[in-house]
Amino acid sequence: MFRRKVKNIDELLNFTLRKEGLETPLLQKRLIDAWPKVAGDLIARYTGDRFIRNQTLYIKVMNPALRADLTMQRSKYISLLNAEVGTMLITDIKFY
């Protein structure tokens, strides 16, 4: 008899994503989509466009007072968002 190297679907999917260079964009999309969950619905209503560039998450905030408050709490949000995706994906958040 021959021996098979059986892998579960999770391992195969992660291997394929990594091989094709799609793992990081997928994780970035998950992190961006996790913002309303992490920040809460009230804060998410006052935020707009979100994107990641050079390990920095940029979030548009419509209210200047909220922008100042979020800036003071950005280390908390960095750790919560990274924990949500399970990896150290961002190192900074800029509210503009």
Side-chain angles (χ1 to χ4, degrees):
M1 289 188 79
F2 60 92
R3 182 179 264 182
R4 294 183 188 182
K5 292 185 179 181
V6 179
K7 295 182 180 180
N8 62 17
I9 192 74
D10 185 41
E11 290 175 6
L12 290 173
L13 186 59
N14 286 335
F15 174 76
T16 304
L17 288 173
R18 193 171 295 122
K19 181 180 166 189
E20 297 298 324
L22 298 173
E23 183 180 34
T24 302
L26 179 63
L27 289 173
Q28 288 176 346
K29 174 75 170 120
R30 286 182 184 165
L31 188 132
I32 289 171
D33 291 343
W35 171 251
K37 179 181 175 186
V38 169
D41 291 333
L42 183 63
I43 293 175
R45 273 190 256 157
Y46 289 99
T47 60
D49 298 335
R50 299 179 301 266
F51 62 92
I52 297 175
R53 183 176 295 140
N54 296 331
Q55 293 185 325
T56 302
L57 175 63
Y58 292 88
I59 301 175
K60 184 174 185 173
V61 181
M62 281 69 152
N63 187 327
L66 180 61
R67 184 181 312 124
D69 187 44
L70 290 173
T71 300
M72 288 187 283
Q73 298 180 26
R74 82 174 157 217
S75 62
K76 173 183 119 178
Y77 287 114
I78 290 170
S79 61
L80 288 173
L81 287 167
N82 283 328
E84 187 70 29
V85 294
T87 186
M88 185 69 168
L89 197 59
I90 59 169
T91 57
D92 196 13
I93 299 177
K94 302 284 184 186
F95 299 100
Y96 67 98

